[in-house]
Amino acid sequence: MEDLTDFLHRMPKVELHVHLESTMPGELLARFAARQGRSLPRPAERLYDCSAEDLSDFLAFLDGICSYVGTPEELTEAAEHAALAAGEENILYSELILNPTHWPQFTVPELIAAVTEGFDRGQAAGGADCRFTLSLSRTQTAEEAAALVEAMTAYRTPRLAGLSIDGNEALAGRTGERFRPAFLAAKAAGFGCTVHAGESSGPEGVRDALDLLEADRLDHGVRAAEDPELVARLVRDQVPLNICLTSNLTLLYRRPEEHPLRQLLDAGAAVTLSRDDPTFLGGLTLTEELRRAAEFARMSRAALLRCQETAVDAAFCGPETKAALRQALAEFQRA
C-alpha cells in the first residue's frame, strides 16, 4: 500500500483555519525589515523559535511579526507566497484569516485590495484558490465591529469570504452580546461567519458562538467535548469544527491524551483539520498535520478523505467552486 505521507500529499486538500499572519517565512520578513532599515530579533531561520507560554504571549509576538510588512505591495507578496506554498502540497482551496488589528499600518480597504491581488497572482501562477475572512479581536468595541462590516461590504471582492472573530476568550470574557449586531449584519450582507470558540473558553464560548453570533462554523470548538449535551447539538446540527491538532497540543492541552479529537469523531461531529499557525509550529504543512491526526486519533484514509469533504461543505464559496472540489476528491478516490 502507498505510504501514508505520499497518499496525503497527493490527496486534494481543503483548509479552512489558517492565519495569514502565520504563513510568512522568516526569510520573507527579513527582506521586508531590511527595506525599513530594521532587523529581525533573531536570524530568519530561527525567527519563530519563540517561547510563547500562552495565547496572550503568542498574540503579542504576532503583532511584532506583522509590523515588518511595511507596504501594501509587501502584503500582496506575502499573500501570493501563501497561495503558492499551499498549491505546492496540493491544497486546492484555502480560507485564511486576517485580523486588521495586527496590521495598524494599513486601512481595511488597503488590506482587502492587497490580499485579493496576492491571492489572484498566486492562483494564476499555479497556487491554491485562496479566500479570506476578516477577523475581529475580542478587545474591540461594538462600534469598531460595525465599522469593519461596513468596510467589508463597501470594498468587497470575490476573495473576501466572511467575518471571523479571534483573540483570547479567557481574558476578554463573554463578548457575544457585544458583537452580535456586527455578525448579524455580516450574514445579512451575504458573508459567511466563523468564530474562534472552545479554545481558551470552555463550552460556554461555543454556545455563545452559536446562539448569539449565529456562527456557520467554529474554529477549534474542541472544548465543547466537556459538555455531552453540547456535543449532541453539534452532531445533530452538523456544525463544522475546524480543529487544529498540533496547535491545540502546543497551546491548550498539556497532556495529549486529553485532546478530544477521537471522541468528537466517534460522536459523529463534522470535523475538518487545519494548521492554525504553521510558521509558529515549525513550518507545519497540512500534509504533516493530517498524518499526525491519523496517527493520534487512529483515523483511516477514508476518514481523512471525509474531513476534506466536510471542509468543502463548510467552505464559504459558491456552488461552482464546491462542485469542482467535490469532483477532484471523487476522481482521486476513483484513481
Side-chain angles (χ1 to χ4, degrees):
M1 180 181 289
E2 182 182 17
D3 175 79
L4 178 60
T5 300
D6 292 339
F7 170 85
L8 292 172
H9 183 82
R10 287 196 310 106
M11 183 175 71
K13 291 177 285 293
V14 175
E15 185 168 36
L16 301 181
H17 184 175
V18 59
H19 294 264
L20 178 62
E21 294 91 348
S22 301
T23 64
M24 300 181 290
E27 295 77 10
L28 184 70
L29 292 172
R31 284 198 290 106
F32 294 166
R35 294 171 186 167
Q36 301 176 35
R38 301 170 63 193
S39 58
L40 301 179
R42 286 179 290 281
E45 65 273 14
R46 295 195 296 106
L47 176 62
Y48 294 102
D49 294 348
C50 59
S51 57
E53 294 296 327
D54 59 26
L55 189 56
S56 296
D57 289 343
F58 170 76
L59 293 173
F61 187 77
L62 200 60
D63 287 337
I65 291 297
C66 294
S67 73
Y68 295 110
V69 182
T71 66
E73 292 75 20
E74 289 174 345
L75 181 55
T76 293
E77 186 177 346
E80 181 182 10
H81 173 272
L84 291 171
E88 287 174 0
E89 61 163 327
N90 207 26
I91 297 174
L92 301 188
Y93 178 92
S94 178
E95 289 180 11
L96 294 93
I97 302 161
L98 183 77
N99 189 321
T101 66
H102 294 309
W103 307 90
Q105 64 271 45
F106 303 123
T107 65
V108 171
E110 287 175 332
L111 288 171
I112 294 172
V115 174
T116 296
E117 182 180 352
F119 286 166
D120 284 347
R121 284 179 7 191
Q123 186 177 10
D129 178 357
C130 292
R131 317 291 171 93
F132 64 106
T133 61
L134 288 182
S135 192
L136 293 162
S137 171
R138 284 188 166 79
T139 59
Q140 291 183 276
T141 66
E143 291 73 22
E144 289 171 322
L148 178 62
V149 175
E150 289 175 4
M152 289 170 59
T153 303
Y155 296 95
R156 186 173 195 166
T157 72
R159 300 280 179 189
L160 179 55
L163 178 67
S164 173
I165 185 169
D166 57 28
N168 194 324
E169 300 169 81
L171 288 182
R174 298 177 73 172
T175 57
E177 290 284 0
R178 185 196 313 165
F179 296 116
R180 177 175 169 81
F183 271 81
L184 294 184
K187 291 180 80 73
F191 289 110
C193 290
T194 184
V195 175
H196 277 63
E199 182 190 22
S200 55
S201 71
E204 70 281 356
V206 173
R207 287 197 193 85
D208 283 355
L210 299 175
D211 296 336
L212 298 176
L213 304 182
E214 300 186 16
D216 299 304
R217 64 188 195 217
L218 301 173
D219 292 320
H220 297 297
V222 287
R223 292 189 60 194
E226 298 168 17
D227 184 331
E229 290 186 3
L230 182 56
V231 171
R233 175 183 177 183
L234 294 174
V235 172
R236 181 188 70 239
D237 296 341
Q238 285 295 282
V239 178
L241 307 178
N242 296 330
I243 293 177
C244 305
L245 177 66
T246 301
S247 174
N248 292 164
L249 294 179
T250 301
L251 287 173
L252 184 57
Y253 293 99
R254 300 304 182 185
R255 298 173 58 197
E257 62 271 20
E258 294 178 350
H259 195 285
L261 176 57
R262 183 69 258 169
Q263 174 188 346
L264 291 166
L265 289 168
D266 287 342
V271 168
T272 83
L273 296 166
S274 297
R275 295 171 292 163
D276 201 2
D277 295 288
T279 52
F280 287 87
L281 299 170
L284 181 67
T285 65
L286 185 55
T287 298
E288 174 61 15
E289 178 73 1
L290 295 173
R291 189 201 65 77
R292 293 179 185 182
E295 181 179 282
F296 179 86
R298 306 177 306 282
M299 296 179 68
S300 67
R301 300 184 184 202
L304 292 164
L305 276 163
R306 281 196 296 275
C307 286
Q308 305 313 306
E309 293 166 348
T310 298
V312 174
D313 292 340
F316 296 154
C317 58
E320 290 186 4
T321 300
K322 291 191 177 191
L325 293 170
R326 291 190 183 105
Q327 180 177 352
L329 283 167
E331 291 176 352
F332 175 76
Q333 292 181 69
R334 284 197 297 270

